[in-house]
Amino acid sequence: MSGHTFAKEDLVVISPVFARPGEENVVYRVVEVHRVNLDAAPVSGGRPIRAPKDMFEPTPETTAAAEQPDGTHPAPANPVTLWAGSVVTVAGPRWPGQAGQLYVVLRTSGDKVSLAKLGGDNGRYWRGVHRSFCALVDPSLITMSPATQ
């Protein structure tokens, strides 16, 4: 559940976790606040959207001041660099996996990664997991224990 309360005329952005390509740098103005959803219109003009409040974040003050005329703002820098073969744990909204389970990054594509469970899972893997869900694990901390039967 989002800890933010929004009011009419607030400037918001779509959280990077939920943003589709082209939406990650758009600043929206709240038009209407409903019980569960927000109606928001792009500051630069365009089609308004209705989405759950959890999908929005307030626009940072520095971003609002640095807003460009087309309504976009610079994308936030992601401090974690993930490469194919990196070992990570995953946690985030609606993530179905176990806490503490180790995964291997198969491929990166922008802010999304493809993951496979470390040790395998009958060929299953997850595509399109947002990079902010991943926490890099130091390989020196990984130990192997014999399989129990």
Side-chain angles (χ1 to χ4, degrees), residues 41-131:
V43 172
S44 61
R47 185 175 178 183
I49 62 171
R50 176 178 284 183
K53 293 177 185 178
D54 293 347
M55 287 182 59
F56 293 97
E57 294 178 352
T59 304
E61 297 301 322
T62 56
T63 302
E67 186 177 306
Q68 298 161 358
D70 62 355
T72 63
H73 64 281
N78 191 346
V80 178
T81 302
L82 297 176
W83 301 97
S86 299
V87 178
V88 297
T89 58
V90 183
R94 298 191 267 316
W95 176 251
Q98 294 176 325
Q101 175 67 46
L102 297 177
Y103 296 88
V104 177
V105 175
L106 301 175
R107 175 179 46 246
T108 61
S109 176
D111 283 342
K112 307 285 182 169
V113 297
S114 294
L115 304 170
K117 192 181 284 189
L118 186 65
D121 192 15
N122 293 324
R124 294 186 201 122
Y125 67 100
W126 289 266
R127 293 182 342 176
V129 177
H130 197 274
R131 141 179 278 149

